[in-house]
Amino acid sequence: MSYEDFTDYIHNQGGSAVVSIGDKNDGDLFTLRRQIELSLGDFIEEYSERNRNVSMNLYHSGPQAVALNRHYDKYDVLVLQIEGEKEWEIASECDNQTYSNITMKVGDLLYIPHGVYHA
């Protein structure tokens, strides 16, 4: 796919792209992921036996795109909005039936506990 086709897919066709930052030392994003992991290491170890590692995904979505439908994760999620705005639906931790809408703007950080439905 050419860059022009990718740009059209994201901006005009409502598409999304997801990039996973893996365990290979492949540049600045790996370094950032590793720094977060080291910074949170003691906290993660004390807080959670489920997940001692940090994973990092980048999502790039067009204005009307939905990257993922409503779902929950088996791990806690931190979301950092680095460009544009995104509307989120976050379920109540109490019942996962009542949803709040949140608008993320550049620089906003959102914490979603494991098991909480969101989109």
Side-chain angles (χ1 to χ4, degrees):
M1 175 182 281
S2 71
Y3 178 76
E4 289 79 17
D5 289 343
F6 177 74
T7 302
D8 180 61
Y9 171 72
I10 295 294
H11 292 285
N12 299 324
Q13 298 178 39
S16 293
V18 180
V19 178
S20 182
I21 309 305
D23 292 330
K24 282 173 59 176
N25 188 351
D26 57 2
D28 293 339
L29 292 175
F30 169 82
T31 301
L32 176 61
R33 185 190 69 81
R34 187 68 182 131
Q35 288 173 339
I36 293 169
E37 189 172 72
L38 291 172
S39 296
L40 296 176
D42 293 338
F43 172 76
I44 291 170
E45 191 168 329
E46 289 178 24
Y47 174 73
S48 173
E49 290 298 319
R50 296 181 308 278
N51 182 15
R52 293 176 189 240
N53 297 319
V54 171
S55 61
M56 181 184 286
N57 297 317
L58 300 177
Y59 296 84
H60 184 79
S61 300
Q64 303 303 318
V66 175
L68 297 171
N69 292 320
R70 192 178 289 172
H71 69 285
Y72 70 90
D73 294 297
K74 294 181 180 182
Y75 44 82
D76 298 342
V77 174
L78 285 174
V79 178
L80 175 62
Q81 187 76 23
I82 59 174
E83 185 176 308
E85 294 184 1
K86 176 168 176 9
E87 288 286 326
W88 285 81
E89 289 182 352
I90 310 293
S92 165
E93 284 186 79
C94 300
D95 63 14
N96 269 327
Q97 300 294 319
T98 307
Y99 285 82
S100 297
N101 291 326
I102 298 169
T103 301
M104 298 278 295
K105 297 180 180 179
V106 174
D108 287 349
L109 184 66
L110 175 65
Y111 169 71
I112 305 171
H114 68 281
V116 173
Y117 280 85
H118 57 280

